[in-house]
């Protein structure tokens, strides 16, 4: 449960902008940040390192329970750094391939269960902004503010394309849109903790909104509820 500190739960499909906006909101509020997708990505990546098959639920459950990971902040308030078993993996876990693996392990009930307490442990003073697929439905059902952020698959593919281009990586936008649809389908159709808006969640479509506009709207909701007091 959410305990005595407030939680802003932000759920939605990949590319909706929730990761960026969650990071900015946490920074603005001076709250902690949980990037829950990173945990599933880390597990898929670690499984690769240990030669564990992504369908081996028992072995993945054990790995998830013992995952040696640290989230640290860079010098001068730069972005978060992620260290897995002593190795910096901040960027390597962001590939489409690791994302697809994450989506696969995330469909396994024992894995979700093993990662539940680890996620709830991020809730510390003075509050938490949690980003994922089931923050408002499963992990923090008592969160006073729940947001479901969406955008069209085409717009999400366009954002991903530009992101990759900025990193000097060439990609095919139509193929990205197809991969996004496949991942959406798996994440929303799975039996455990499927991607869906939580009861009472505020639905926000970011297709035609800039990240600053989304941030302002979320911040206004936090202020309206008096969560910063
Ligand atoms: O947000 P992301 O793209 O980093 O997430 C990677 C995968 O992890 C995504 O396909 C779905 C899964 N995931 C999940 O099932 N539950 C969460 N709370 C976060 C991510």
């Amino acid at each position: 449960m959410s305990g005595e500190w407030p939680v802003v739960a932000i759920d939605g499909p990949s590319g909706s902008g929730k990761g960026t906006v969650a990071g900015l909101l946490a920074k603005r509020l001076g709250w902690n940040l949980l990037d829950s997708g990173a945990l599933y990505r880390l597990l898929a990546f670690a499984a690769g390192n240990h030669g564990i098959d992504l369908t081996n639920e028992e072995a993945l459950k054990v790995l998830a329970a013992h995952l040696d990971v640290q989230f640290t902040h860079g010098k001068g308030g730069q972005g978060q750094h992620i260290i897995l078993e002593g190795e910096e993996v901040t960027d390597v876990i962001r590939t489409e391939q690791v994302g697809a693996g994450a989506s696969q392990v995330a469909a396994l009930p024992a894995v979700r269960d093993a990662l539940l307490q680890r996620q709830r442990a991020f809730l510390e003073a003075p509050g938490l902004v949690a980003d994922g697929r089931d923050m408002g439905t499963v992990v923090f059902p008592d969160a006073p503010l729940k947001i479901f952020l969406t955008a069209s698959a085409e717009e999400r593919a366009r954002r991903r394309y530009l992101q990759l281009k900025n990193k000097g990586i060439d990609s095919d936008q139509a193929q990205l849109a197809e991969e996004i649809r496949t991942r959406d389908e798996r994440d929303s159709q799975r039996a455990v903790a499927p991607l869906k808006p939580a009861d009472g969640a505020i639905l926000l479509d970011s297709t035609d909104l800039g990240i600053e506009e989304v941030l302002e709207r979320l911040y206004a909701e936090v202020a309206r509820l008096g969560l910063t007091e």
Side-chain angles (χ1 to χ4, degrees), residues 14 18 35-38 40-41 94 99 102-103 106 112 119 131-135 183 187 190:
S14 59
K18 70 191 159 51
D35 169 4
S36 62
Y40 292 96
R41 286 173 181 268
R94 297 295 160 194
S103 169
R112 303 200 73 86
Q119 293 175 83
D131 137 41
R133 305 293 190 290
D134 62 342
M135 298 298 97
R183 187 129 71 95
D187 292 343
R190 68 181 176 221

Side-chain angles (χ1 to χ4, degrees), residues 67-88:
L67 210 57
D68 169 18
V69 56
Q70 287 147 354
F71 291 83
T72 63
H73 290 278
K75 288 196 185 91
Q78 280 166 19
Q80 207 167 40
H81 288 255
I82 306 177
I83 315 291
L84 175 71
E85 294 165 348
E87 182 199 349
E88 161 110 41

Side-chain angles (χ1 to χ4, degrees), residues 51-127:
I52 294 171
D53 196 275
L54 296 185
T55 57
N56 187 342
E57 189 165 4
E58 251 328 288
L60 288 167
K61 176 179 130 181
V62 175
L63 188 62
H66 297 97
L67 210 57
D68 169 18
V69 56
Q70 287 147 354
F71 291 83
T72 63
H73 290 278
K75 288 196 185 91
Q78 280 166 19
Q80 207 167 40
H81 288 255
I82 306 177
I83 315 291
L84 175 71
E85 294 165 348
E87 182 199 349
E88 161 110 41
V89 294
T90 315
D91 293 329
V92 289
I93 61 162
R94 297 295 160 194
T95 63
E96 289 305 311
Q97 196 196 347
V98 176
S103 169
Q104 216 178 323
V105 299
L108 305 171
V111 163
R112 303 200 73 86
D113 207 44
L115 290 178
L116 196 56
Q117 288 315 323
R118 197 182 271 266
Q119 293 175 83
R120 289 185 176 152
F122 277 77
L123 178 48
E124 288 181 348

